[in-house]
Amino acid sequence: MASRARKPIDVTTRKSAQVPGQLFGYSLQAIRLLSLALDATPGTVLSLEVFEDVGTVDKTGMALASQTKSGLETNPVSDHAVDLWKTFSNWLTAVASGQLPIASSHFEIYLAKRHTGKFVTSFHAAKTDEEAKAALDHARDVLWGPAPKYLKKDKLAETLAPFVNHVLDLSSKDATRIIQRFELAVAAKDPLRDLRPKVDAKWVRPESVEIVIKYAHGWIKEKLDGLLLEGKAAALNVDEFNAEIAAYLPRVDFRQILTAIAGTLELTDDTIAAEQVRTYVRQLE
């Protein structure tokens, strides 16, 4: 019997429309952590999926809980977005359980793609107790209907209602305090390109930026993946990160000097080894 010709797998067709956003969402966490590492003060501990998507705790105990959202497929901070209200609801739960002490915590939603919404904008702008209460009152008027009857409350979508009602609960004071400590952060260009000026200012010349970003991003991911494989929390001290990059930077400078002198020489491991025995290279070293 003649074998039936096999139809080649189409690698250009998505299995699901949500897959690209989900995959980018996973990689976005490491990119955001790298960005925070570049700004972190000595002694800061950075983490993935410990108490939030991305977390930092500095040596004074001040924490940042950063919820990262790709925003590739939908607007995760629109007024009726389940993502938005679920995030605030989860923060309330973490505060109530003592996982995130309210007095020493800040809260962030980080977007890889620019989106906005009226509620999230008002929450971001609210820095005083009065402003936070006003922002919540406005959300209640829109989503529940005017006080005191709140006639629209029972008409909220089933997927949205538990989170909205938790955040807007009149008996809760923590929601007001979280909003005062909340910021919406949005990538200026895209998460990776936003790293370039930070790396340029912190470490190296512009021509070295790309290779350093790739190394730093890869090192962070490998380090945290290794911790997860060992069953440990994916957390590292920024001092270890800075020491690793400091040790790597001379190698970047060496390769660039070698490239400038050697011209069109292809930089493979073999050609570098061959060049290293030459007098001018030994002098550079």
Side-chain angles (χ1 to χ4, degrees), residues 29-183:
Q29 293 179 3
I31 297 171
R32 184 56 179 159
L33 187 141
L34 173 54
S35 179
L36 293 173
L38 293 170
D39 295 330
T41 56
T44 297
V45 175
L46 305 110
S47 62
L48 288 185
E49 297 288 356
V50 175
F51 56 86
E52 186 49 283
D53 286 351
V54 179
T56 70
V57 182
D58 68 20
K59 61 183 180 181
T60 70
M62 189 61 67
L64 172 68
S66 178
Q67 176 79 196
T68 59
K69 300 184 185 296
S70 69
L72 295 183
E73 306 294 338
T74 60
N75 178 359
V77 293
S78 67
D79 291 352
H80 291 80
V82 172
D83 269 354
L84 173 67
W85 293 100
K86 184 177 180 180
T87 296
F88 278 90
S89 177
N90 288 343
W91 286 336
L92 277 169
T93 299
V95 167
S97 69
Q99 184 183 31
L100 287 173
I102 191 72
S104 58
S105 298
H106 288 86
F107 306 87
E108 172 190 87
I109 292 176
Y110 175 78
L111 299 179
K113 187 175 180 180
R114 184 165 296 279
H115 290 288
T116 190
K118 292 181 180 179
F119 295 151
V120 77
T121 298
S122 66
F123 293 169
H124 169 83
K127 300 307 176 189
T128 67
D129 186 63
E130 292 75 16
E131 290 170 344
K133 287 178 178 177
L136 285 171
D137 285 341
H138 174 66
R140 289 189 191 96
D141 284 345
V142 174
L143 296 174
W144 283 3
K149 294 185 177 181
Y150 301 121
L151 296 178
K152 295 168 63 176
K153 184 177 179 181
D154 292 336
K155 297 179 182 178
L156 285 170
E158 190 174 320
T159 55
L160 184 62
F163 307 118
V164 167
N165 294 342
H166 186 200
V167 176
L168 299 184
D169 185 348
L170 290 165
S171 65
S172 173
K173 295 181 180 179
D174 287 337
T176 304
R177 301 174 72 190
I178 287 173
I179 286 173
Q180 286 179 255
R181 293 162 173 79
F182 166 74
E183 287 194 4

Side-chain angles (χ1 to χ4, degrees), residues 1-6:
M1 181 182 295
S3 61
R4 181 179 298 177
R6 294 183 178 179

